[in-house]
Amino acid sequence: MLAMNYRGPYRVRADHKPDPVIEHPGDAIVRVTRTCICGSDLHLYHGMVPDTRVGHTFGHEFIGVVEDVGSDVQTLKVGDRVMVPFNLFCGSCFFCQHELYGNCHNTNPESTAVGAIYGYSHTAGGYDGGQAEYVRVPMADVGPMVIPDDIHDDDAVLLTDVTPTGYQAAEMGDISEGDTVVIFGAGPIGIIAAKSAWLMGAGRVIVVDEVEYRLEFVKRWAQCEVVNFREVNDMAEHIKKMTDWMGADVCIDCVGGDAAGSIAQTLTGRLMKAQAGSSTVLHWCINSVRKGGNVSIVGVYGPTFNMVPMGNVLNKGLTIRANQASVKRHLPRLIEHIREGRLNPKEIITHRVPLEEISDAYHIFSSKLDGCIKTVLIPPRAHEVRAVQASALH
């Protein structure tokens, strides 16, 4: 099969790998029809996540058609169209029973921290991901969900990660009616978080980024205010000026360890890797939120230490919540939002690229070229992309 092949930082290519096979009676094999490049994939692409091994296939956002099932699989059959949450989870451990699917204790040898994630280094279990023609899906009875007939495939693929993650980012902020919410990062997750903040009762939403076309997009799509941090001397002071010197009620980190904006943080966190990524946005969130406010973190950092101003957290009485999104918990509500027209995730897709051109797709997305917001990869041939583009117009 054709699949993305990681060859080291900034080096990916489309390559031929063996087709996956049923390894356990609970497995399914899914033929991928759409998969995405996620901002989290860029942390791997940039060499920010430990134990990302040469030969690994990335991709934790994908949908497809069931091609084969193991003998124990009861809920899926060959031919079903399914969306596959990015979390691999067992459904029965303590954490799954509490709907913390991103923290499943049985799917990842490193499960003292994160659970398992498709295509996300061996720190997240080492499972090959969906930027391929076929994927092995373990525990197929508990993870995948059959796509409802009235949900477009483009919406469905964005329900496997970006939409639930943006939604949970807002949810973890515990937004009260009328709150001022500041979101750092105008990538796909920040864009969805901005829209979700309105759904949860925010009275004011401000999005911070440095890329003008992304700021223009989120301003238009989520009807929010925007700030270019390159035009600001001190981020915390600027947010306080915008909020009568109180600070925001909620700050959300949708960036993670690739954050720009501080020379010292970029040097120690991205170049020297002396900490688990640049913690610039963590500082901005902690220092920009009001006393007694909430900080929500969905931006990805490496699993080592970061230099974070915990004294400010204590003295300001902040509540910090962070996690990988528990995708399946959110799907019923998000499908309802899509059906009612309150959310239209597929509108953030700007690029549809053949899987064969994955190297170019990563370069465009990573370098923020060509107005790229969200990229969907279509396996396996270029002419199928045109068919998908045509279907997206209807």
Side-chain angles (χ1 to χ4, degrees), residues 172-195:
M172 290 191 303
D174 196 21
I175 297 167
S176 297
E177 186 173 354
D179 274 355
T180 294
V181 179
V182 176
I183 297 162
F184 293 95
I189 288 173
I191 292 168
I192 296 292
K195 197 80 163 183

Side-chain angles (χ1 to χ4, degrees), residues 34-38 59-63 157 160-162 374:
R34 282 168 174 78
T35 182
C36 298
I37 301 175
C38 178
H60 53 270
E61 297 178 286
F62 62 93
I63 63 170
V157 74
T160 62
D161 175 13
V162 62
K374 187 66 176 175

Side-chain angles (χ1 to χ4, degrees), residues 59-101:
H60 53 270
E61 297 178 286
F62 62 93
I63 63 170
V65 177
V66 176
E67 290 282 298
D68 195 9
V69 295
S71 58
D72 287 353
V73 176
Q74 302 294 317
T75 62
L76 300 180
K77 63 183 185 299
V78 173
D80 282 343
R81 293 167 56 245
V82 292
M83 62 179 95
V84 183
F86 76 86
N87 329 100
L88 285 90
F89 56 95
C90 70
S92 59
C93 70
F94 172 88
F95 301 99
C96 289
Q97 290 297 305
H98 287 80
E99 296 187 317
L100 294 170
Y101 302 121

Side-chain angles (χ1 to χ4, degrees), residues 34 46 78 110 113 122 166 230 256 265 339 349:
R34 282 168 174 78
H46 295 155
V78 173
E110 306 290 339
H122 281 65
R230 294 294 183 189
Q265 290 288 341
R339 284 173 171 158
I349 297 171

Side-chain angles (χ1 to χ4, degrees), residues 311-333:
N312 291 358
V313 174
L314 170 67
N315 292 330
K316 294 179 74 173
L318 305 184
T319 297
I320 297 180
R321 297 184 66 192
N323 207 349
Q324 299 285 351
S326 294
V327 171
K328 201 155 188 179
R329 175 169 66 88
H330 298 297
L331 290 179
R333 187 63 183 272

Side-chain angles (χ1 to χ4, degrees), residues 124-177:
Y127 297 87
D128 271 340
Q131 292 170 8
E133 291 188 83
Y134 296 93
V135 184
R136 171 179 165 254
V137 176
M139 288 157 288
D141 270 338
V142 297
M145 176 179 177
V146 175
I147 300 171
D149 290 339
D150 60 340
I151 298 298
H152 193 283
D153 279 357
D154 283 348
D155 285 324
V157 74
L158 297 187
L159 285 171
T160 62
D161 175 13
V162 62
T163 305
T165 297
Y167 188 81
Q168 183 167 312
E171 179 192 64
M172 290 191 303
D174 196 21
I175 297 167
S176 297
E177 186 173 354

